[in-house]
Amino acid sequence: MLGKPLWVWLTFAGVVVALLVFDLGLFNRKDHVMGVGESLRLSAFYIGAGALFGAWVWWWMGQTAGVSFFTGFLIEKSLSLDNVFVISLIFATFAIPREYQHRVLFWGILGVVVLRGIMIGAGTALVHNFEWMLWVFGAFLLLTGVKMLFSSHDEAPDIASNPVLRLARRVLRVSKDLHGHKFFVREPAPDGSGRRVLTATPLFLALVMVESADVIFAVDSVPAIFAITTDPYIVYTSNIFAILGLRALYFALAAMIHRFHYLKYALSIVLIFIGGKIIYTQLYGKVDPALSLAVTAALLAGGVVVSLIKSRNEQPTAAEALVESSASGENR
């Protein structure tokens, strides 16, 4: 299951912990509004850290492992773009002030580290014991890519009617108002007894929704990386490094989400390509990892260029306008 010696996993864990401590302890000790410039700088820091880790993987494990890491990193980073859109809608729904949004994203990363580990561990076990699961992953990615390609890209998910949110409201006592950056507070019991009971705040509900959104998007991204490699170390580390950087880049991306409107079509084609690659590999043999990286990078770069050109004079959709107003603080 581990696939690598324990010290290799501990090295990765140490790097991630150091990055998170550095983030919270140095960059974001106090609640503040993160601007686009700071978001870009922090994202560049995380991307640089991921690139250095990938270079180490290349040096220690060889070219194939290194190329697989960078391919997985690129795919996860790109597929998570929709996650930025949904997270922005979550913050808009709960009217979370911008100065508290980074706190939700930061603590959300801890949940991602655990949840992705569980999903990747389960995927590794399935592939190891049932090789035919790769056929299932390939077919799933093909169908997902085709569905994404022909579905409406303007529809926004209805956050308020989400079953996870409804369950959380039934199980938890939730306060009506925010209490600064606190996830839980003690409020007087509704029975008038004078007792003070533990109560969740809307900030905690936003955190729960962000975590549930990541689980949904992981259903696409985890099989996609298994198409590149079945090495759990490469799958997991590339996933986590991509997510770390994306959360930092959130504030810049959310402020101009409509400029990447057409990138979703490129992502659809990437999923179709990866699903087809799995099926081709099962039938005829492995595809050169460098070719997979080149095709993926070319498709995504083309999607970015087309998006920036075609959206230059276009107005954002209603959902995109809501996201961008939330990111700029206009909804407050």
Side-chain angles (χ1 to χ4, degrees):
M1 287 294 294
L2 290 178
K4 294 290 179 293
L6 182 60
W7 71 267
V8 179
W9 285 98
L10 292 177
T11 298
F12 165 69
V15 171
V16 171
V17 170
L19 288 173
L20 294 178
V21 170
F22 192 67
D23 186 336
L24 189 63
L26 181 63
F27 289 130
N28 298 285
R29 283 186 298 176
K30 298 181 179 179
D31 296 323
H32 68 286
V33 175
M34 182 177 290
V36 172
E38 183 181 357
S39 175
L40 291 173
R41 288 192 296 271
L42 187 57
S43 179
F45 167 76
Y46 276 116
I47 291 174
L52 286 175
F53 190 86
W56 176 77
V57 169
W58 194 310
W59 172 78
W60 186 71
M61 297 176 61
Q63 178 181 350
T64 299
V67 171
S68 297
F69 175 90
F70 283 110
T71 306
F73 180 88
L74 181 61
I75 290 173
E76 175 60 38
K77 179 82 76 176
S78 304
L79 291 177
S80 296
L81 183 63
D82 270 357
N83 212 352
V84 170
F85 180 74
V86 173
I87 290 172
S88 300
L89 288 176
I90 291 171
F91 287 150
T93 299
F94 291 99
I96 305 298
R98 290 185 68 207
E99 57 265 32
Y100 302 144
Q101 291 178 6
H102 182 270
R103 180 177 177 83
V104 174
L105 295 175
F106 176 86
W107 290 107
I109 288 173
L110 300 182
V112 168
V113 169
V114 175
L115 293 172
R116 289 294 175 99
I118 293 172
M119 295 183 71
I120 290 170
T124 301
L126 287 173
V127 171
H128 178 74
N129 291 287
F130 308 101
E131 190 173 346
W132 52 264
M133 280 301 300
L134 287 174
W135 287 91
V136 176
F137 286 169
F140 174 77
L141 291 173
L142 277 173
L143 292 174
T144 302
V146 171
K147 180 181 177 182
M148 185 186 298
L149 187 63
F150 293 102
S151 65
S152 171
H153 293 256
D154 299 328
E155 297 178 359
D158 186 0
I159 303 298
S161 63
N162 186 282
V164 174
L165 179 59
R166 294 202 303 267
L167 177 62
R169 289 190 184 278
R170 284 201 300 266
V171 172
L172 300 172
R173 186 186 303 276
V174 182
S175 65
K176 295 181 179 180
D177 303 314
L178 288 168
H179 293 265
H181 65 211
K182 295 180 179 179
F183 291 121
F184 290 93
V185 294
R186 288 195 173 274
E187 292 187 336
D191 58 9
S193 63
R195 295 182 301 111
R196 300 186 70 84
V197 294
L198 191 65
T199 306
T201 68
L203 199 69
F204 181 74
L205 290 185
L207 176 61
V208 170
M209 293 303 299
V210 167
E211 294 290 2
S212 66
D214 181 77
V215 171
I216 293 172
F217 282 101
V219 173
D220 290 339
S221 63
V222 170
I225 299 183
F226 271 111
I228 306 302
T229 177
T230 56
D231 186 329
Y233 188 77
I234 301 298
V235 174
Y236 187 59
T237 56
S238 61
N239 242 259
I240 298 304
F241 270 107
I243 292 171
L244 288 174
L246 186 80
R247 295 297 170 93
L249 189 58
Y250 163 81
F251 295 94
L253 287 177
M256 53 180 184
I257 194 72
H258 81 281
R259 295 302 307 274
F260 297 96
H261 183 80
Y262 295 94
L263 181 57
K264 293 183 180 181
Y265 295 103
L267 293 175
S268 305
I269 298 173
V270 167
L271 288 179
I272 293 172
F273 167 72
I274 295 172
K277 174 181 172 294
I278 293 181
I279 294 174
Y280 180 90
T281 299
Q282 295 299 105
L283 290 173
Y284 302 107
K286 289 187 176 181
V287 177
D288 186 353
L291 177 62
S292 296
L293 177 58
V295 172
T296 302
L299 287 171
L300 294 174
V304 170
V305 171
V306 171
S307 289
L308 293 177
I309 293 174
K310 295 199 67 172
S311 65
R312 187 168 44 194
N313 299 317
E314 290 184 358
Q315 295 298 316
T317 65
E320 290 168 344
L322 177 61
V323 165
E324 292 178 3
S325 65
S326 174
S328 62
E330 295 173 9
N331 64 318
R332 294 178 57 188

